[in-house]
Amino acid sequence: MSTYDVVVAGNGALGLATARSLTLQDPNLRIAVVGPAGRPGGASGAAGAMLGCYGEVTAPLLRTAPGRARHAQSVLAARLWPSWLEGLNSALPAEDQVRLDAGTIVFSNAKSGTIEDENYAAIHEAVKADEEPWEELDPNQVPGLNPAEDCRPKRALFLPREGSVDASRLLRGLTRVLEQSPRVSLIDGAVKALDVQAGRITGVRLEDGRTLAAAQVVLAMGVGTQAVLDELPELARRIPRIFSGGGTSLLLQVPRTQLKHVVRTPNRAFACGLHGMPRAGNQLYFGATNILMARPMLRTTPADMFFLLECVLEQIDQDLCAAQLVGWQAGNRPVTVDTCPLIGPTSVEGLWLLTGTYRDGLFQSPLLGQHLARRMCGQPGLINEDFPPERKPIALYTLAEARAEALKHYLAMGWEHGIRLPKVGWHRSFPRFYQQMLDSLYEELGEEEFVMPPELLAIVDGHRAAMVPFFRNYYAEVRKAWA
């Protein structure tokens, strides 16, 4: 058995950022970072790594206190990126350094539903309210946007302080810096279970049978965290359950690119919005789909591949039909049952959680990694602890609000997939069909206290006979845990 002061379970952006922050807080700590070298199904490796503080704003986000707290975290995270990369790059050779590519252009078109207009307006209002720099652009003069005629953008907003990093380069840089530390061990493996004695964490067990002893453990395994928690059912039922937001992304090679910045739509149709960005060596990254599932997606599907390619060629650049395919990527965002993150200590002494971050994990990794490291070392954190791991699911919607928001997403999904309807009268019949389906789903779930967020309906809708009883039982267990 090997012994450490801290075991960080997870080698994605959050796990690596936490380990890096711990080494800066206390260079004497013996730290093990555990995760499979290839990161199969992980969110970080497949991410576009947009630093989307304002680009991710939606109309519902800023209507609730938890939503505003998440946005406040994003604002703080955005400010930390320059110094975070400066510190990381100071420990890396020039060829491995990570660059922040500044600039994001948010555009909207008519390929989705009214939800896109609402979220575009919310982004615009948020940057004005926070006095964030912005510029309105001619939507038909955006470099790199060459859509089909029926997909022309209606509006475009330039955010000069947002942008992206290369996710794979960031992960390599963090890994290399940690490898250079004599008191950090990077272990190729996966945590299977926790060792707990008398209410205290004592270590972890790996899938290959190895055991690691440690007085503190951080679970930052993304969607893999839930299986580990399930080994401690009394603890697990006090923590909002984690599901998978499966996403597909695409890399293309072009002789020369006109794309100079991130280009993206607002969030729409249950996803983070269509987006593209330049990468080194005349490569272009495009994403991303979002399908909520009970289990992680390890490979992409032909349906997602077709949909993403169609969106890219129609809505971003028709000439990319001649580009060369570099590869497809699949990843899984950790999405809790209330869509809010799990950050901080648990009732098991020495056990910390850092997951459930949905689309914000990589973007907020400098902030959350440093926050958790400070807390673990007995110092004040950097953020309010609005999202403790052990809590009832947070109510973001009333039942009426959830039904209305879900309808907008379903309609947007239909239009984005190119549904064709008769011209007369169906503008009323089409929404009515979805409304009846949504009403029956929510009625079957029978919940008014813990209203399911619209994003999770896809899990129920796809496997109704199994998932309605599952969620009814889950919410009953939550009530019992908090009685």
Side-chain angles (χ1 to χ4, degrees):
M1 178 188 296
S2 301
T3 301
Y4 300 90
D5 296 306
V6 180
V7 169
V8 177
N11 63 347
L14 285 172
L16 295 177
T18 301
R20 164 73 170 159
S21 299
L22 284 166
T23 64
L24 297 174
Q25 284 293 322
D26 185 351
N28 294 315
L29 287 174
R30 294 163 299 168
I31 302 168
V33 180
V34 183
R39 299 183 180 89
S44 297
M50 293 184 292
L51 309 184
C53 176
Y54 291 94
E56 288 289 311
V57 165
T58 64
L61 180 73
L62 302 181
R63 291 177 189 154
T64 65
R68 291 189 292 271
R70 288 168 60 188
H71 179 61
Q73 286 182 195
S74 292
V75 171
L76 184 53
R79 295 173 184 163
L80 292 180
W81 268 97
S83 61
W84 177 253
L85 290 183
E86 183 180 356
L88 180 64
N89 288 335
S90 69
L92 290 170
E95 63 271 17
D96 290 333
Q97 292 181 1
V98 184
R99 185 181 72 233
L100 195 162
D101 296 317
T104 290
I105 298 171
V106 182
F107 70 93
S108 69
N109 57 29
K111 290 299 289 184
S112 186
T114 58
I115 193 170
E116 182 165 339
D117 296 329
E118 292 175 6
N119 290 340
Y120 183 93
I123 294 168
H124 202 178
E125 288 301 315
V127 296
K128 289 189 291 184
D130 291 354
E131 298 183 345
E132 177 72 12
W134 61 276
E135 179 185 353
E136 196 92 43
L137 301 179
D138 180 343
N140 295 306
Q141 299 296 323
V142 174
L145 275 188
N146 177 34
E149 287 298 313
D150 62 348
C151 299
R152 287 176 298 165
K154 301 183 294 182
R155 289 164 296 183
L157 190 68
F158 180 54
L159 306 176
R161 296 206 298 198
E162 294 204 0
S164 68
V165 296
D166 185 323
S168 58
R169 196 173 184 87
L170 176 68
L171 295 174
R172 285 197 304 270
L174 285 166
T175 300
R176 178 157 185 173
V177 167
L178 291 172
E179 285 173 338
Q180 295 169 359
S181 175
R183 298 184 71 81
V184 176
S185 299
L186 299 179
I187 298 174
D188 184 4
V191 170
K192 180 180 181 180
L194 305 172
D195 286 327
V196 178
Q197 295 181 12
R200 295 176 57 93
I201 197 79
T202 60
V204 299
R205 283 167 279 151
L206 308 191
E207 289 182 348
D208 61 10
R210 286 179 288 174
T211 60
L212 308 178
Q216 296 198 84
V217 171
V218 180
L219 286 183
M221 297 172 63
V223 295
T225 305
Q226 188 61 54
V228 177
L229 290 175
D230 285 342
E231 295 291 316
L232 298 172
E234 287 303 309
L235 175 65
R237 69 178 187 160
R238 294 175 61 85
I239 297 173
R241 193 167 186 84
I242 301 167
F243 299 91
S244 294
T248 293
S249 57
L250 168 67
L251 279 174
L252 297 177
Q253 181 81 46
V254 293
R256 186 169 60 90
T257 178
Q258 299 295 320
L259 203 59
K260 305 300 181 187
H261 304 288
V262 173
V263 294
R264 62 163 298 163
T265 70
N267 290 353
R268 61 189 192 184
F270 297 115
C272 56
L274 175 65
H275 55 273
M277 63 203 70
R279 287 274 178 87
N282 284 331
Q283 290 189 2
L284 298 173
Y285 172 100
F286 295 100
T289 59
N290 185 46
I291 300 175
L292 268 289
M293 299 174 292
R295 299 182 182 277
M297 177 182 76
L298 298 181
R299 295 181 180 87
T300 190
T301 65
D304 281 354
M305 295 164 71
F306 174 80
F307 174 68
L308 181 55
L309 264 180
E310 185 178 43
C311 288
V312 169
L313 296 178
E314 287 189 349
Q315 299 181 50
I316 294 183
D317 188 354
Q318 302 168 84
D319 289 336
L320 290 175
C321 60
Q324 299 295 303
L325 175 65
V326 177
W328 292 96
Q329 301 170 111
N332 295 273
R333 309 170 187 92
V335 188
T336 61
V337 73
D338 60 9
T339 71
C340 293
L342 307 171
I343 305 167
T346 69
S347 57
V348 175
E349 188 174 347
L351 177 62
W352 305 75
L353 259 63
L354 186 52
T355 186
T357 45
Y358 205 174
R359 303 184 183 104
D360 297 330
L362 189 148
F363 165 46
Q364 292 192 6
S365 58
L367 170 66
L368 299 183
Q370 292 180 80
H371 166 75
L372 207 66
R374 289 174 62 89
R375 291 280 282 110
M376 294 174 71
C377 293
Q379 298 182 28
L382 299 178
I383 57 175
N384 295 328
E385 306 219 334
D386 296 298
F387 306 106
E390 291 181 64
R391 64 169 192 258
K392 291 182 181 181
I394 294 171
L396 297 178
Y397 299 89
T398 66
L399 188 54
E401 289 169 343
R403 288 179 175 183
E405 189 69 13
L407 177 60
K408 294 173 188 175
H409 279 285
Y410 270 103
L411 292 173
M413 191 167 59
W415 297 126
E416 201 172 3
H417 277 270
I419 193 167
R420 294 289 183 266
L421 298 173
K423 302 292 184 184
V424 180
W426 281 83
H427 67 291
R428 298 190 186 280
S429 300
F430 183 43
R432 193 158 53 237
F433 163 77
Y434 274 122
Q435 189 67 71
Q436 290 169 351
M437 182 270 288
L438 291 169
D439 288 348
S440 67
L441 267 181
Y442 275 114
E443 285 168 11
E444 280 192 62
L445 288 168
E447 273 299 328
E448 292 192 14
E449 180 183 3
F450 303 120
V451 177
M452 181 175 287
E455 293 95 322
L456 269 75
L457 287 180
I459 299 176
V460 184
D461 187 28
H463 305 278
R464 198 160 178 165
M467 296 311 295
V468 166
F470 172 87
F471 277 104
R472 289 177 71 114
N473 181 66
Y474 169 75
Y475 289 124
E477 287 295 313
V478 170
R479 286 192 182 87
K480 188 185 301 181
W482 292 99

